[in-house]
């Protein structure tokens, strides 16, 4: 099949969260399975050319107009991680992709509408039949609407929703700007927002116009049908239920491989005995202790590696910190918040714990530190209010770190409680709590810490068990192929 992904992220060269990881993992696997796959990405200014081998111009010039003015664009191509990457550069004077970041500009909707339009112009210019045009989240969802409006030779448009909380709202004249008649789309059956009737909802446009829609876990695919998680958009999700399914994400086992991870001093794998794993994880802890003046002794090491946003349960993460310290453990948080008041709150927390040698709060995006922490931690805390899939818990398990999670979305589909689940012991890989309350969280942390402190051999057996699980892209990629072909 000829498959084209249009995305705003691709790890490691342009990653803000899970989407970047998902893209590279899925695309690499689809390529391995023999499909002709390309990814179109904006040519962001922060991407170093060193990370773009065989960079060359694919198409030196093609037009894309916005508000009746035509701008010149060019498409570059590169071969990254065995994947064919196409990078869109534009001469648009607003320098949409020269902002030093992926998201976070005031004109994000304008930037990504232009990107979607320019991708469609490129594909129109190429005029080659495409089997699957695969779009990701609201940023590129409008390419589904454009594909239909401009009669592109595409057999099937697939929209993956990695997080339905982000929907991309704009005015109807923003659609006019990219050549769609905005007013025509401002009605409940097309792209009118289900909550703000004057607004266009770009994710909704993707849901309505894509041939197939999927989310990144089966449970989340069901949850978005409810107002509690799907919000105002849940009515649209229910209307298009027949074309919505859930496919669990995998993780890229080459990027996340404790045996070959260059960020660790001692590599380790599930093939090795408990002694070797213990030694390697201890060496990862020592590595961090030396770097940051941390006391290695208070155990277990509990941590979170996450964006600090309401979805992730920041108040429960803070509770987790208190509960862990009260019980004599150490707590680590790597992650920052795009929400100033929330970041302020955590800054205060950091001040409060300044000088504590068993509290480590680091508010930056740091890929190397993330790798080292996944190896060093004993437990990873993910108390999310909702979670489309979640990659951190999967990565943690690959590094022998036991997840403590709230029962929602992809966390529910991937983590099974050691004591209270309906599955066999071999599949029990973590601690799960139901309600987003201090009581439920405390109970899970207490159970986890009891196992660690009072039953080390069972804890170690669990570490080895979780490391052996298969969270590769092998199965998910096959499910995507089934999804693609089901539409033909
Ligand atoms: P989301 O996509 O909602 O942010 P996921 O769990 O699906 O959450 O994916 C998060 C990804 O981002 C993981 O690969 C995680 O390791 C990484 N990550 C999150 N915060 C940081 C950080 N501060 N530094 C490095 N990596 C981070």
């Amino acid at each position: 099949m000829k498959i084209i992904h249009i995305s705003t992220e691709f790890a490691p060269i342009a990653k803000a969260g899970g989407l970047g990881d998902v893209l590279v993992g899925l695309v690499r696997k689809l390529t391995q399975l023999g499909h002709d796959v390309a990814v179109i990405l904006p040519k962001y200014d922060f991407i170093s050319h060193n990370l773009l081998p065989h960079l060359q111009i694919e198409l030196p010039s093609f037009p894309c107009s916005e508000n009746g003015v035509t701008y010149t664009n060019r498409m570059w191509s590169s071969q990254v991680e065995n994947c064919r990457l196409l990078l869109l550069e534009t001469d648009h004077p607003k320098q949409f992709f020269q902002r030093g970041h992926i998201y976070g500009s005031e004109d994000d909707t304008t930037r990504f509408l232009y990107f979607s339009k320019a991708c469609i112009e490129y594909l129109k210019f190429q005029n080659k039949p495409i089997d699957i045009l695969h779009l990701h989240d609201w940023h590129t969802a409008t390419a589904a609407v454009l594909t239909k409006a401009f009669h592109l030779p595409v057999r099937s448009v697939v929209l993956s929703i990695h997080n339905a909380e982000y929907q991309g709202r704009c005015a109807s004249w923003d659609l006019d700007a990219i050549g769609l008649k905005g007013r025509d789309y401002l009605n409940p059956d097309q792209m009118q927002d289900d909550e703000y009737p004057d607004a266009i909802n770009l994710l909704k446009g993707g849901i309505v116009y894509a041939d197939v829609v999927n989310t990144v876990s089966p449970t989340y695919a069901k949850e978005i049908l409810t107002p509690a998680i799907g919000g105002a958009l849940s009515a649209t999700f229910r209307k298009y239920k027949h074309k919505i399914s859930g496919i669990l994400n995998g993780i890229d086992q080459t990027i996340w491989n404790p045996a070959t991870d260059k960020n660790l001093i001692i590599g380790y794998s599930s093939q090795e005995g408990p002694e070797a794993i213990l030694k390697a994880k201890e060496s990862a802890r020592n590595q961090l202790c030396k770097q940051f003046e941390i006391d290695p002794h208070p155990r277990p090491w509990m941590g979170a590696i996450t964006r600090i946003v309401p979805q992730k349960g920041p108040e429960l993460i803070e509770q987790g910190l208190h509960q862990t310290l009260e019980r004599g453990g150490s707590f680590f948080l790597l992650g920052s918040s795009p929400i100033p008041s929330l970041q302020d709150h955590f800054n205060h927390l950091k001040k409060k714990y300044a000088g504590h040698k068993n509290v480590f709060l680091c508010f930056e995006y740091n890929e190397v530190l993330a790798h080292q922490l996944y190896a060093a931690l004993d437990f990873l805390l993910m108390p999310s209010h909702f979670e489309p899939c979640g990659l951190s818990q999967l990565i943690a398990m690959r590094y022998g770190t036991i997840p403590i999670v709230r029962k929602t979305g992809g966390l529910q589909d991937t983590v099974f409680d050691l004591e209270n689940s309906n599955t066999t012991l071999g599949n029990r890989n973590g601690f799960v709590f139901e309600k987003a309350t201090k009581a439920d969280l405390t109970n899970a942390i207490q159970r986890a810490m009891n196992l660690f402190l009072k039953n080390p051999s069972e804890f170690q057996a669990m570490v080895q068990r979780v490391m052996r699980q298969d969270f590769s892209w092998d199965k998910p990629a096959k499910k995507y192929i089934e999804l693609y072909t089901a539409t033909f």
Side-chain angles (χ1 to χ4, degrees):
M1 276 184 277
K2 185 169 172 60
I3 303 164
I4 300 205
H5 290 263
I6 305 184
S7 171
T8 49
E9 296 185 37
F10 189 83
I13 63 165
K15 170 176 162 178
L19 174 60
D21 289 325
V22 170
L23 247 286
V24 71
L26 174 61
V27 167
R28 187 189 276 155
K29 196 74 218 171
L30 291 174
T31 307
Q32 269 173 23
L33 290 171
H35 299 285
D36 175 1
V37 193
V39 179
I40 313 184
L41 191 75
K43 193 167 181 293
Y44 300 111
D45 55 349
F46 58 80
I47 303 176
S48 150
H49 279 203
N50 297 336
L51 296 175
L52 298 174
H54 313 295
L55 184 66
Q56 58 189 35
I57 300 251
E58 171 96 3
L59 183 63
S61 167
F62 65 94
C64 176
S65 49
E66 188 205 41
N67 281 319
V69 182
T70 301
Y71 302 103
T72 303
N73 307 274
R74 70 201 63 74
M75 196 62 91
W76 295 80
S77 77
S78 171
Q79 199 73 24
V80 177
E81 308 260 345
N82 267 339
C83 303
R84 198 156 79 87
L85 198 58
L86 298 169
L87 298 125
L88 177 100
E89 187 177 44
T90 176
D91 289 346
H92 194 294
K94 287 197 181 143
Q95 304 195 313
F96 288 137
F97 310 117
Q98 312 283 108
R99 309 286 180 86
H101 54 236
I102 301 178
Y103 314 116
S105 294
E106 279 195 355
D107 59 349
D108 273 2
T109 44
T110 315
R111 294 167 68 215
F112 294 119
L113 277 174
Y114 184 85
F115 174 57
S116 303
K117 175 77 187 302
C119 289
I120 295 299
E121 292 292 359
Y122 166 75
L123 297 174
K124 222 165 81 182
F125 197 93
Q126 298 289 76
N127 198 25
K128 290 184 190 146
I130 298 162
D131 291 307
I132 300 292
L133 185 64
H134 193 154
L135 314 173
H136 299 271
D137 280 345
W138 73 261
H139 312 91
T140 56
T142 314
V145 188
L146 291 161
T147 298
K148 307 286 162 150
F150 294 114
H151 308 290
L152 238 65
V154 174
R155 280 178 92 178
S156 186
V157 179
V158 178
L159 171 68
S160 285
I161 300 179
H162 300 263
N163 192 333
E165 191 182 26
Y166 305 104
Q167 298 172 12
R169 292 189 180 91
C170 61
S172 60
W173 55 83
D174 291 313
L175 291 186
D176 295 338
I178 57 159
L180 295 169
K181 282 201 185 104
R183 277 268 142 207
D184 292 355
Y185 291 92
L186 194 66
N187 67 68
D189 292 333
Q190 314 266 330
M191 296 176 78
Q192 185 177 43
D193 190 82
D194 294 330
E195 196 175 356
Y196 306 101
D198 290 338
I200 288 286
N201 183 311
L202 299 180
L203 187 65
K204 180 172 170 179
I207 299 163
V208 173
Y209 283 92
D211 299 294
V212 177
V213 178
N214 82 297
T215 66
V216 286
S217 70
T219 295
Y220 187 64
K222 285 189 211 129
E223 288 174 340
I224 55 172
L225 306 177
T226 66
I229 298 214
L233 204 53
S234 62
T236 296
F237 283 126
R238 286 195 295 278
K239 182 170 172 189
Y240 292 98
K241 195 176 159 202
H242 57 279
K243 59 175 173 180
I244 301 178
S245 62
I247 300 178
L248 213 48
N249 284 332
I251 52 171
D252 195 302
Q253 310 249 43
T254 27
I255 295 176
W256 301 109
N257 184 354
T260 55
D261 196 323
K262 292 194 181 70
N263 305 296
L264 308 180
I265 293 168
I266 304 183
Y268 59 107
S269 81
S270 60
Q271 316 298 324
E272 290 168 273
E275 297 295 311
I277 295 173
L278 274 174
K279 204 171 141 210
K281 283 182 77 79
E282 188 184 350
S283 125
R285 281 193 296 280
N286 288 336
Q287 207 179 338
L288 291 174
C289 288
K290 273 193 208 131
Q291 274 183 78
F292 300 109
E293 288 189 23
I294 298 164
D295 181 354
H297 300 297
R299 296 275 301 281
W301 276 28
M302 176 91 60
I305 301 167
T306 181
R307 294 180 295 124
I308 305 176
V309 289
Q311 171 197 342
K312 304 288 181 181
E315 73 293 356
L316 294 170
I317 292 175
E318 187 179 343
Q319 265 305 326
L321 183 156
H322 299 312
Q323 300 299 328
T324 306
L325 297 189
E326 250 174 50
R327 289 169 174 74
S330 296
F331 197 88
F332 297 78
L333 171 62
L334 172 62
S336 56
S337 184
I339 303 164
S341 57
L342 209 46
Q343 186 60 59
D344 275 355
H345 180 81
F346 276 84
N347 289 341
H348 277 109
L349 202 67
K350 186 168 175 159
K351 267 195 201 136
K352 182 174 156 194
Y353 283 103
H356 271 247
K357 290 204 165 176
N358 53 343
V359 178
F360 176 77
L361 306 177
C362 179
F363 304 134
E364 62 183 55
Y365 189 90
N366 188 327
E367 196 75 40
V368 172
L369 199 51
H371 280 251
Q372 293 170 345
L373 265 175
Y374 281 119
L377 292 176
D378 297 302
F379 295 105
L380 182 94
L381 183 61
M382 268 182 99
S384 306
H385 291 283
F386 70 93
E387 194 58 73
C389 175
L391 295 178
S392 294
Q393 82 280 15
L394 306 181
I395 300 168
M397 290 192 266
R398 180 125 166 97
Y399 282 71
T401 294
I402 307 295
I404 303 176
V405 307
R406 201 177 87 72
K407 191 173 181 182
T408 182
L411 297 174
Q412 178 172 337
D413 292 337
T414 54
V415 184
F416 306 97
D417 193 273
L418 180 67
E419 291 149 3
N420 307 316
S421 57
N422 299 327
T423 182
T424 54
L425 179 66
N427 292 325
R428 296 183 189 183
N429 54 6
F431 293 88
V432 181
F433 61 100
E434 291 251 3
K435 296 197 202 97
T437 59
K438 182 179 163 191
D440 272 28
L441 170 82
T442 305
N443 176 280
I445 290 181
Q446 197 159 354
R447 290 189 295 121
M449 287 183 73
N450 276 349
L451 178 76
F452 180 87
L453 296 167
K454 298 190 180 148
N455 203 341
S457 58
E458 198 182 319
F459 175 79
Q460 198 50 40
M462 194 172 179
V463 167
Q464 251 169 309
R465 202 161 66 230
V466 302
M467 286 182 73
R468 279 198 212 106
Q469 296 171 107
D470 177 11
F471 288 120
S472 71
W473 271 100
D474 294 355
K475 283 186 210 148
K478 285 190 185 126
K479 289 203 169 145
Y480 272 101
I481 301 289
E482 281 165 26
L483 187 76
Y484 294 162
T485 46
T487 61
F488 294 165

